[in-house]
Amino acid sequence: MTVDIKKLLIFDFDGTLIDSVPDLADATNAMLTTLGKETYPIETIRNWIGNGSRLLVERALVGHVEVAAGALTKEEADHAEQVFFDAYKNLSGSKTVAYPDVDEGLKKLHAAGYTLALVTNKPIRFVPKILQSFGWQDLFSEVMGGDSLPVKKPDPAPLLHVCASLNVSVAQAIMIGDSRNDILAGQNANMDTLGLSYGYNYGQDIRELNPTEAFDSFADLIAWIMKDNA
């Protein structure tokens, strides 16, 4: 893979740049408490994160990562998701932190001339506030949430939309993330993929999904991308 021809770096958010599990777990348990249901430890909820808010809510309601067809009515899930949104909105976000070396790494890539984009399955309404809290709002040329289009990762549409919006070919783009949704989205878009092993991937080693390359730290990822700019 010749990184020097790559122009566009598309990042996932939760589990890749930020660890938002504590806030998401608090919001999930607040929802469950409001609904009179059993709450769960953070490590259980961690394994339910990564497919967007709707599936997180449904998994919490049934207490399992697999949600059987017909287990919940649309009305039940709609109501619970709104309760979750209200709880998440009311959290200060103080428990959400950037992973080590992410802040410095993003700024280094931006300064080197790479175009950065963000494609997350998190609802778009929650993304700007978090970006601003880290001072990253000006680093990304395009930001897509899980509800910005009718489909979300692992569908390739959000990645292809970003490429089209920024007038960059798929061959000049890389998808970077921590979960199967990110790697599959990139592969479905016929795009190179870089995997990070430390995020939320339901207990599966990211390397099993055969990304173009995989790394155990953000610093190693940055060093690999920047090696041709040294």
Side-chain angles (χ1 to χ4, degrees):
M1 178 176 162
T2 53
V3 177
D4 56 330
I5 68 163
K6 302 296 179 181
K7 295 181 177 180
L8 173 61
L9 306 176
I10 304 175
F11 288 92
D12 172 54
F13 204 17
D14 300 67
T16 297
L17 304 181
I18 60 171
D19 183 5
S20 54
V21 164
D23 282 323
L24 289 169
D26 283 353
T28 300
N29 280 330
M31 172 200 74
L32 291 169
T33 299
T34 298
L35 298 175
K37 294 182 177 292
E38 175 188 359
T39 58
Y40 294 94
I42 186 171
E43 288 310 317
T44 298
I45 296 173
R46 178 181 293 273
N47 290 323
W48 298 341
I49 292 169
N51 295 104
S53 61
R54 181 63 170 221
L55 200 47
L56 169 59
V57 166
E58 292 180 352
R59 286 165 170 164
L61 291 175
V62 302
H64 198 270
V65 70
E66 298 295 336
V67 181
L72 299 165
T73 67
K74 182 178 184 300
E75 290 73 21
E76 283 178 305
D78 284 347
H79 175 63
E81 188 177 29
Q82 189 55 57
V83 174
F84 170 82
F85 284 157
D86 291 342
Y88 191 55
K89 179 182 66 178
N90 291 332
L91 291 171
S92 66
S94 60
K95 293 184 180 180
T96 293
V97 298
Y99 284 108
D101 303 305
V102 166
D103 183 72
E104 178 185 358
L106 289 175
K107 290 171 181 174
K108 185 180 291 187
L109 293 172
H110 190 262
Y114 289 98
T115 298
L116 310 184
L118 190 72
V119 174
T120 174
N121 279 349
K122 182 189 290 293
I124 192 65
R125 75 185 82 169
F126 299 115
V127 176
K129 178 183 175 183
I130 299 172
L131 286 176
Q132 289 165 8
S133 74
F134 291 109
W136 297 344
Q137 65 272 16
D138 296 325
L139 294 179
F140 296 97
S141 299
E142 187 84 12
V143 177
M144 302 282 291
D147 50 358
S148 296
L149 295 177
V151 293
K152 60 171 74 81
K153 299 175 297 182
D155 195 288
L159 279 58
L160 299 175
H161 179 90
V162 167
C163 289
S165 295
L166 298 176
N167 196 29
V168 176
S169 71
V170 168
Q172 294 174 307
I174 309 175
M175 178 65 212
I176 301 166
D178 66 297
S179 81
R180 62 183 295 109
N181 297 311
D182 305 314
I183 304 306
L184 291 176
Q187 291 170 345
N188 290 337
N190 199 29
M191 183 182 295
D192 283 318
T193 57
L194 302 181
L196 289 160
S197 65
Y198 54 72
Y200 324 142
N201 196 34
Y202 323 112
Q204 182 181 18
D205 185 340
I206 197 72
R207 290 172 173 85
E208 293 177 13
L209 296 161
N210 298 312
T212 308
E213 297 284 345
F215 307 91
D216 295 322
S217 74
F218 202 80
D220 288 345
L221 170 86
I222 297 300
W224 189 85
I225 293 173
M226 293 288 292
K227 68 182 185 293
D228 291 329
N229 289 319

